[in-house]
Amino acid sequence: MGNEIEKKEKTRVLTKEKLDLQQLFKAPEVGLSVAGQSVTRTDALQKATGKLMFGADYSQEGFLHGKILRSPHPHALIRSIDLDKAKNLPGVVAVLEAKDVPGRNGFGAIIPDQPVICGDKVRFVGDGVALVAAETEEIAQRAVELIHVEYEALPAIFDPRDAMKEDAPKIHEKGNLLSYNKLRKGDVDKGFAEAEVILERTYQVPFLDHAYIEPDVTMAIPQPDGTMLVEGPMQAPFTVRRNINAVLGVPVNKVRVRQIPMGGGFGGKEDSPIDIGCRAAVLAHHTGRPVRMILDREEVTLQTCKRHPMIMEVKIGAKKDGRIVAFEGVIYDEQGAYASLGPILPPAGGSHIHAMIMMPGPYEIPHVKVDAYLCYTNHPYGGAMRGFGAPQVHIAHEQMIDELAQELGINPIDVRRKNAFKLGSSTATGQVLDQSVGLRDTLEACAKAFDWDRRYKETGYVDEGRTKRRGVGIGMGWYRTSIGTSGDACGANVYVHEDGSVLLFTGITEMGQGSFTVLPQICAEELGIRLEDVRLVQPDTDMVPESGPTVGSRSTTLMGNAIILAAREVKQSILEMASEMLLVPLERLEARDRKIYDRENPNKSILFREAAARCMATGKRLIGQGWWAPPPPSLDPETGQGNPYFVYTYSTHMVEVIVDMETGEVDVTDFVAAFDVGKAINPKALEGQIEGGVAMGLGYALMEEVALKEGHIQNLHLGDYLIPTSLDVPDIKPLVLEVENKYGPYGAKGIGEMPNIPATPAILNAIANACGGRVRSLPADPERVYWAIKETGEPPEK
Ligand code: MTE
Ligand code: MOS
């Protein structure tokens, strides 16, 4: 009986919560005034005029300089290490080896498997073997060169499939298979038996570097009370703090992490600041002096994480009309030397599990099977990079859909029309998409703007000399908002002052994506004041509530909700005060543009600041706090079935390319990119995200690759590691559709990563459409395109 009541009580509470959630974040009836506007970015002027100080610009006065001795071997035992010569060099203050790490000698965003200083062995070229702090950078560098290490080289592994062989040398004690995950929906054997056409293909993608322009930098500054203050550009101050406190062996409250302006992150600065943060903190701890550590470009490339390379085997079964009935995939996902953000963080966090979940694409397929292996190798390590496992698998499924269309002789847009998610569709994990599903709208809007039907017919030679061919391609995509683990909660504090000005405290960072503009917009909207009334405080773990990391395109949505809750808490008290002052019932009051007025008699009003001042004078609450977490994620480890993420963003890209049939050169000449974003909080900033994201996707398709030879990176400099310039990027036409997300601030969902995901396969599909050859192993640089043409021969004239 008691149980029954308890159960009923629980159901009641859940239902009520669910109902509240659906209404909580809606726009006010009078409409939005600050959110939804293309206001100028709060950081625009400082950045455009070069006034904003980045880490490298900070004064070095009083700092020691930290340097890392790196392994020249991909895999080796450390036989001995001699620090004496380095220690005796004048100007050197500390030279540290593994035993000098005061706490845990390991860090990592998910698993602490990377040594702060390697003790017994090294696992990739660049692994840290000793740390030096000296009075100048030059002395520190010389000291590094004076350290003598004897290594015993071990056989190394450079392919995830080799890593799984029984006789493979073990890179870590627990073996080379870091994660094996599976997804099972329906019965694939039955599905393939029903299929009228079956195709099998393998696609491969290399390591990619983020190529953020600002090099990594950190400053560790011991405080008089024994606290360690660590400053630097970073996406995840709380993850950095969690690692530093363990490495120093002190409680969490003895470490303070402050984020400073960041010159691009793209996922890479989710974990590189952990690395140099821990190392600089250990040096500062030993010397008792502030230590600055800055990496040069070579070191950034050597040391920091990359986008995971993958080998993806796909088998697809379809009916003659293009309906997909079965999908089978195998992913060999290369982790490299350390776990970083690769492994699963239950139930559905980590880039590997995300790749598995996304692999079948945004298509409703009754029978699905995916096996995903994540293996250590002796290469640099894979981490987060704009899309977190999704860009790779989109390259597989989107090309596969086009190859299927070709096999069936159907227009590729029609195969997508047959299978694309719609409201009520069930994903490969069995999640029923019950709201905010605008995928098909993006397809139709894109097709219309691009004039797909006409242009699909008009491909072929464009010049009289018959050397250049035009082609068009489609890429479709889906992406989550959130990270799929319990660590997804966001907290925000809003302080209103007596003059009506406001401080907003969040732990979400700005890396160029615009969070320092859209978050204050949401705060101002909710309080009924102007954007310039809100000042956002730089994230500082001593001052802001835990917000989780700035990843997974989660900031606007999750933090936006937390801010709305915080703002409402303090607004309640201000409105109560206004109600007393105006003698108008609370429920009739509206706050807008710094005024609080009676809805039934708008002339009856007071200023927001008058009510705030009165609250201050009478001791009425002026601080609000809000916490928001998405509905709990789920994923069965055996079947991969569940609801891993609470909402998805959808997109369709269409692109035109011209391929030089003699040289294999590709020119991207036109681009339309359509998105269902839920609600655009700042439409102009959103367009910026689309343009930047598409440019990144273009780089992945045509030119980017971390070239490796026996574990050594061949292109350490940006002169050799090519990324697109403005000359490579066409005019991009963004189309923004708004299919309301019930769980987002005014209906918004994430957009930061999405634009770069379908861009890559859209370009690859256009290349194949233009020249007949298909590049299944990236990048599609002129050489690979040339050989693909030679292999397949020119397409027949239509
Ligand atoms: N845009 C710029 N200009 N610079 C960046 O570093 N990072 C991307 C994306 N857009 C990035 C960017 C990545 S990897 C993520 S996860 C999102 O921004 C995070 O921001 P959001 O949560 O505000 O979307
Ligand atoms: Mo973005 S890859 O989630 O930092």
Side-chain angles (χ1 to χ4, degrees), residues 264-267 386 511-513 550-556 689 752-753:
F266 305 109
R386 208 170 192 175
M511 54 185 133
Q513 90 280 31
T550 304
V551 302
S553 303
R554 64 196 281 278
S555 316
T556 304
Q689 283 293 287
E753 292 159 281

Side-chain angles (χ1 to χ4, degrees), residues 299-594:
E299 291 177 300
V300 172
T301 315
L302 258 181
Q303 181 174 328
T304 66
C305 71
K306 309 278 172 271
R307 182 177 280 167
H308 289 84
M310 289 183 196
I311 299 155
M312 298 166 284
E313 297 171 356
V314 184
K315 181 175 168 190
I316 202 163
K319 294 287 192 191
K320 284 210 177 94
D321 65 359
R323 198 156 43 85
I324 305 167
V325 287
F327 182 101
E328 191 173 336
V330 181
I331 305 176
Y332 299 103
D333 187 357
E334 183 176 353
Q335 184 51 50
Y338 295 107
S340 178
L341 285 138
I344 181 167
L345 191 59
S351 85
H352 182 64
I353 196 90
H354 188 234
M356 177 191 84
I357 292 167
M358 300 261 120
M359 193 189 201
Y363 305 106
E364 186 155 19
I365 307 173
H367 307 289
V368 180
K369 176 181 176 196
V370 182
D371 289 282
Y373 304 89
L374 179 69
C375 301
Y376 285 119
T377 65
N378 295 110
H379 273 152
Y381 53 99
M385 181 168 166
R386 208 170 192 175
F388 212 53
Q392 294 94 318
V393 296
H394 276 69
I395 285 166
H397 64 68
E398 283 312 279
Q399 290 203 84
M400 190 47 142
I401 297 282
D402 261 47
E403 299 208 47
L404 177 68
Q406 198 181 358
E407 182 76 17
L408 293 167
I410 303 179
N411 188 327
I413 198 172
D414 291 325
V415 177
R416 289 178 172 85
R417 280 189 180 122
K418 271 242 140 55
N419 298 287
F421 285 157
K422 53 180 183 286
L423 197 67
S425 286
S426 152
T427 68
T429 71
Q431 178 170 8
V432 177
L433 301 172
D434 59 357
Q435 62 118 13
S436 196
V437 191
L439 179 64
R440 284 167 181 262
D441 309 271
T442 68
L443 181 69
E444 298 311 331
C446 201
K448 193 161 168 240
F450 187 82
D451 201 2
W452 174 268
D453 289 338
R454 178 182 62 78
R455 289 169 83 171
Y456 183 64
K457 284 191 209 117
E458 289 176 4
T459 53
Y461 284 106
V462 292
D463 57 337
E464 281 190 3
R466 295 175 72 81
T467 57
K468 292 189 167 142
R469 288 182 68 96
R470 177 173 30 225
V472 290
I474 312 178
M476 254 180 149
W478 62 319
Y479 193 75
R480 60 180 186 172
T481 299
S482 68
I483 48 182
T485 73
S486 54
D488 226 346
C490 264
N493 289 351
V494 171
Y495 292 15
V496 178
H497 295 94
E498 67 273 25
D499 62 351
S501 69
V502 169
L503 281 180
L504 171 61
F505 296 81
T506 91
I508 290 297
T509 62
E510 170 68 79
M511 54 185 133
Q513 90 280 31
S515 57
F516 279 15
T517 307
V518 296
L519 298 180
Q521 276 185 275
I522 292 171
C523 182
E525 177 69 51
E526 206 52 41
L527 289 174
I529 53 177
R530 294 187 189 163
L531 180 63
E532 59 266 34
D533 299 334
V534 180
R535 181 162 76 85
L536 187 137
V537 175
Q538 276 282 348
D540 175 337
T541 58
D542 264 15
M543 289 161 75
V544 303
E546 163 81 72
S547 321
T550 304
V551 302
S553 303
R554 64 196 281 278
S555 316
T556 304
T557 311
L558 276 64
M559 183 52 86
N561 287 344
I563 289 171
I564 288 180
L565 293 174
R568 282 190 187 165
E569 216 176 73
V570 61
K571 187 173 164 188
Q572 176 70 20
S573 114
I574 289 174
L575 288 184
E576 279 169 14
M577 181 55 75
S579 165
E580 271 177 35
M581 292 165 79
L582 287 169
L583 298 173
V584 172
L586 190 63
E587 57 283 1
R588 268 184 21 207
L589 290 178
E590 187 77 54
R592 211 172 161 80
D593 196 25
R594 295 180 175 162

Side-chain angles (χ1 to χ4, degrees), residues 191-211:
F192 282 114
E194 284 169 14
E196 290 164 341
V197 54
I198 295 176
L199 283 188
E200 288 186 66
R201 295 285 185 271
T202 300
Y203 305 96
Q204 195 166 345
V205 290
F207 275 111
L208 239 60
D209 195 81
H210 306 80

